[in-house]
Amino acid sequence: MRRFSWFNATSLTVGFAFLYLPMLILIIYSFNESRLVTVWAGFSTQWYGSLLQNQSFLDAAWVTIQVAVASSTIATILGTMGAYVLVRGGRFMGRTLFSGMIYAPLVMPEVITGLSLLLLFIGIGLDRGIFTVVLAHTTFSMCFVSVVVSSRLVSFDKSLEEAALDLGCSPFDAFRLVTLPIIAPAVISGWLLAFTLSLDDLVIASFTAGPSATTLPIRIFSAVRMGVSPEINALSTIMIAIVTVGVVTASIISKRSSLAQQRDEQAAARAT
Amino acid sequence: MAQTVFAPWDDPQAKPLIQFKNVTKRFGDFTAIENLTQDIYEREFFSLLGPSGCGKTTLMRMLAGFENVTEGQILIAGQDMAHVPPNKRAVNMMFQSYALFPHLSVWENIAFGLKREGKPKAEIEARVDEMLRLTRLVKFAKRKPHQISGGQRQRVALARSLAKAPKLLLLDEPLGALDKKLRQDTQFELMDIQEKTGTTFVIVTHDQEEAMTVSSRVAVMDEGRIIQVATPAQIYEAPNSVYVADFIGDVNIIDGIATRDGDGYRITWAEGQDPFIAKTQNSFADGQRCHLAIRPEKVAILAERPDDSANAIEGQIIDIAYLGNISTYHVKLVNGQMIKAQAANTRRLSRRTFTWEDRVWLSWTDTAAVVLER
Amino acid sequence: MRRFILIAVPYLWLMALFLVPFLIVLKISLSDIALSIPPYTPQLDLTEGWSGIKAFLSQLDFENFTFLTQDPLYWRAYVSSLQIALISTVLTLLVGYPIAYAMAQAPDEWRATLLLLVILPFWTSFLIRVYSWIGILSNEGFLNQFLLWTGIISTPLTILNTNTAVYIGIVYTYLPFMILPIYSALEKMDGSLLEAAEDLGCSRLSAFWLVTVPLSKAGIVAGCFLVFIPALGEFVIPSLLGGSDTLMIGKVLWEEFFSNRDWPVASAVAVILLLILVVPIVLFQRNEQKQRELDQ
Ligand SMILES: Nc1ncnc2c1ncn2[C@@H]1O[C@H](COP(=O)(O)OP(=O)(O)O)[C@@H](O)[C@H]1O
Ligand SMILES: [Mg+2]
């Protein structure tokens, strides 16, 4: 049995306090009565009320959700195709360029991605709005999806696909009936990652959105530049709560299923 | 030429190198080693043999200093080891997994311990080269552990633990990962190295053949206790219990009741059958339950009843296992008991006398079997 | 045919929305500012055919890049970005290593939870995590309140709007990127290696330096790049936590573009930022490649 040593317990406590105290303070002070955000004046939920009355936040949230759903869905399809091409595509002209284009956006500073896309949209005379943000987000998210999915594809036994082909599937059926179900967890995490990246993005959206489509991060950023406000605290609390519930649920589900699989395997081992 | 036998354990003057004194080790409320007392002498090749989980590794790790003793004392060269950390002990261990440092070359792995001692550079180089020659690794000095074969890795681990010339070398299943042929070669190599360096070896193995080949003494363990310590020959010929007899090699066990008869015992084993006759140093009360243990190679298999044998019994061949040089016959006695008998295959297959279903006679002498209490 | 579509769709998408925009940036960085829409010349006029292209090419020059080297503002911005990214990377390593180490040593049943706790902030909004420090670091913020209350200081410290706040912000937001690769390197490590080192005469501390650190080197290198590369082009953290004298290229580029509307200079700034990034990115790729080969 391993135990925490004194040193390890201290570094974990201090480390996680550092990671979580700022957010905890934010959450606590979103229930503060006072408008002064650093002085506690009693419990109140008034800032949640005033947040929900604030039409500009609600509009921005709606825009953000539309953008995130659209871009992450397209990015997942394109990214999965990209991963498949990378891992199973074999040789084709410009393969190196292709893999370069998949990996480069991962390390490209957001300011550059944003700037270059904006210059493109202006260059071809595309009006900026929700559509351009979706294009922009799809482009960098699909690369993240590709990386997630291809790491699953690499460890995936190719002979399963070959068996399907041997049993009379067309290549497309083999993908749909064999490959896709097996890489599904990676595809789903790819989608979630793309969705989160899109929700989170300020810089690229600022460049590509134009005045007609204000996303939530853009709205928050302009509010935050003025300093701390209790409404933003309330908004942050809501977002943190949603993410926490989502991530914890996802991890419990995946833990359950891996436990169930373990149990089944043990039962099977005992039966033989 | 008179050669003195190496048997310091029979010499009351000899000072043991290692002394376990009533050592107990518990993990939580699980007792891994129970009240164990044992001496090990200098230059010994001492084997720990036992089923998996019986506490062999734990015993080694206590010697190396990775586990504390719960109760009792371990002395090395007369010194209590209780508060000596692993890096201050003149003991080196060869790990079950070899534990070679993957970021260091073979040469650097072997030099690792020497460098910690702060020896001069020339001395380190000379010693490492010596070790490389001893383990025949000179060609691989510059390679990293993942660039050499399993057998070579095992030799690097050995060279590394020998480099500091420890008083005591601990080897935890050193040959477990090797295939049979390589294992046999390495066994002789180990014995050779032990002879050359004069180091005391304590080796863990679960391969009884290996223990028999290399050891000066073998300790058979079960559930945290040592059941018997003796030379390989004694362990094989004179096990002190059914457990040991069964653990080492193949054996037939016949349960019975002992009755004194001259300088031996008559052992009644089945209704209406002649009792077996056996001579033994162990003594039994009349009517005491006992176990007769006979090695298959000591049971002769014959077509006719022998006239002059102390023990003879009829049976039917149920199965024959052909092992090349010998065959093992599984013979069923009248009461249903199975007895294994071995015979050398001196003739070609087609000329062999016995086959399935044949009725045959088994016989052994009155000194072939040992009579055991438990 | 299907294979062709499979390859062509993502390929063309990336060409159109990644490669082409990037070439446009390169081109504009070689153009001149103009009071027009779009605010730069020359424009490529393909209707004039080959002579149009020649006229276009002849007007391109490296003026913007020369300008960047002459104006000390840009020069200082690059140096200060490198400096801030470097210092924060080292700080992140110093904070992250002990956490990763403790996680790798933790009892098995704790590991999954600890890992979840490290990953969770990554899924929460970056902007919010940066924002949460404003209330802590400001003059009347929680940190100053706490320090005044304990009596360590008698007048509030100015932390917000300084480089210190930027360091804190970068360490805070990029910490998971440092912890995860180091943790996975340490977790793979065979515990018997440390015992072997001790057996051969190392103290606990020297076994740490001689075995643990070298074996987690790949994780350390990966973590450092994962922090350094994005930190270099960071915009949100310096603009929210940094002061007016905090110079970082991301912020300069943003201001050139949105405030000065000097697109050619903004593009030139971007091109140079990329050139600076090429070195660490290539080194990072090498490290990953080597690691993959070792794992096989
Ligand atoms: N660190 C530990 N904590 C709890 N139990 C242990 C520990 N190490 C060994 N044991 C238990 O002690 C017993 C003996 O183990 P070991 O000495 O490794 O056996 P082996 O003879 O196979 O080498 C086993 O039942 C094992 O589960
Ligand atoms: Mg063991």
Side-chain angles (χ1 to χ4, degrees), chain A residues 1, chain B residues 27-28 30-32 50-59 61 67 96 172-173 204:
Chain A
M1 252 288 293
Chain B
F27 295 108
F30 174 78
T31 308
S52 164
C54 70
K56 307 177 300 279
T57 299
T58 306
L59 206 59
R61 291 171 57 83
E67 303 283 0
Q96 201 164 355
D172 192 352
E173 303 204 17
V204 164

Side-chain angles (χ1 to χ4, degrees), chain B residues 61 64 66 86-89 91-95 97 99-103 109 112-114 116 146 160-161 164, chain C residues 190-204 206-207 209-215 293-294 296:
Chain B
R61 291 171 57 83
F66 297 122
N87 52 335
K88 298 273 160 39
R89 298 189 180 197
V91 173
N92 283 129
M93 179 147 171
M94 187 178 149
F95 287 78
S97 61
L100 297 179
F101 303 121
H103 59 299
N109 260 290
F112 191 93
L114 298 168
R116 303 286 82 69
H146 67 268
R160 184 178 72 178
S161 43
K164 290 179 75 174
Chain C
D190 179 1
S192 65
L193 291 177
L194 284 181
E195 291 186 340
E198 275 187 64
D199 188 66
L200 294 166
C202 277
S203 64
R204 287 273 167 91
S206 60
W209 281 114
L210 292 168
V211 179
T212 311
V213 170
L215 286 178
E293 276 160 17
L294 276 185
Q296 279 162 9

Side-chain angles (χ1 to χ4, degrees), chain A residues 1-4 7-9 11-12 15-16 18-23 25-26 29 37-39 74 78 81-82 84-85 89-95 97-98 100-105 107-112 115-123 134-135 138-139 142-143 170-172 189 192-193 196-197 200 202-203 206-207 216-218 220-221 224-225 227-230 232-233 235-236 239-240 243-244 247-248 251 255, chain C residues 2-3 5-7 9-11 13-22 24-25 28 37-38 40 95 98-112 114-129 131-136 138 140-142 145 168 171-172 175-176 179 229-230 233-236 239-240 249-251 253-255 257-258 263 266-267 269-271 273-274 277 281 284-285:
Chain A
M1 252 288 293
R2 296 215 275 181
R3 298 249 169 72
F4 288 107
F7 174 82
N8 289 341
S11 25
L12 285 178
F16 284 111
F18 174 65
L19 273 177
Y20 282 92
L21 263 186
M23 284 192 268
I25 292 175
L26 207 67
Y29 276 78
V37 274
T38 53
V39 184
I74 307 172
L78 288 172
M81 289 168 84
Y84 204 77
V85 170
R91 307 204 150 273
F92 57 90
M93 268 235 315
R95 194 188 142 84
L97 177 66
F98 184 71
M101 287 195 300
I102 293 270
Y103 286 111
V107 288
M108 188 69 85
E110 289 170 329
V111 277
I112 298 183
L115 175 73
S116 65
L117 282 165
L118 172 58
L119 294 179
L120 171 79
F121 295 146
I122 289 175
V134 170
L135 284 183
T138 304
T139 307
M142 71 174 273
C143 302
S170 70
F172 182 70
S189 10
L192 285 172
L193 183 62
T196 316
L197 287 170
D200 212 19
L202 165 72
V203 176
S206 298
F207 276 99
L216 200 53
I218 298 178
I220 296 176
F221 185 67
V224 163
R225 281 200 137 166
V228 183
S229 89
I232 300 289
N233 285 358
L235 178 60
S236 309
M239 290 170 70
I240 292 173
V243 167
T244 310
V247 172
V248 170
S251 81
K255 178 143 191 210
Chain C
R2 276 216 175 101
R3 178 164 180 266
I5 293 175
L6 183 69
I7 295 175
V9 172
Y11 205 123
W13 183 288
L14 285 173
M15 285 277 236
L17 287 155
F18 179 74
L19 198 61
V20 170
F22 182 66
I24 294 176
V25 171
I28 293 179
I37 294 173
Y40 55 86
V95 176
I99 301 178
Y101 182 80
M103 283 170 63
Q105 303 259 308
D108 286 346
E109 63 271 24
W110 275 83
R111 301 250 185 102
L114 293 174
L115 209 54
L116 185 69
L117 283 175
V118 172
I119 295 170
L120 193 59
F122 167 78
W123 294 91
T124 18
S125 165
F126 185 83
L127 197 53
I128 288 174
R129 282 186 292 146
Y131 162 74
S132 69
W133 281 93
I134 298 179
I136 296 175
S138 67
E140 352 28 277
F142 298 106
Q145 284 181 21
I168 295 176
V171 172
Y172 180 68
L175 194 57
I179 294 177
I229 293 170
E234 188 51 58
F235 163 74
V236 176
S239 66
L240 287 185
I249 322 172
K251 212 174 122 197
L253 192 155
W254 180 285
E255 273 156 15
F257 190 86
F258 285 110
W263 293 13
S267 301
V269 170
V271 170
L273 171 56
L274 260 191
L277 274 174
I281 290 173
F284 175 66
Q285 286 288 8

Side-chain angles (χ1 to χ4, degrees), chain A residues 6 100 116 133 189 195 268:
Chain A
W6 180 87
S116 65
V133 185
S189 10
F195 188 81

Side-chain angles (χ1 to χ4, degrees), chain B residues 260-300:
Chain B
R260 184 104 218 159
D261 177 25
D263 56 350
Y265 289 91
R266 286 144 49 93
I267 291 144
T268 329
W269 61 281
E271 203 76 23
Q273 296 288 322
D274 288 344
F276 293 130
I277 312 233
K279 295 203 169 115
T280 175
Q281 265 120 41
N282 302 344
S283 58
F284 296 85
D286 281 354
Q288 192 183 340
R289 274 181 56 80
C290 66
H291 311 276
L292 198 66
I294 324 150
R295 302 281 178 199
E297 72 273 13
K298 298 204 166 65
V299 180

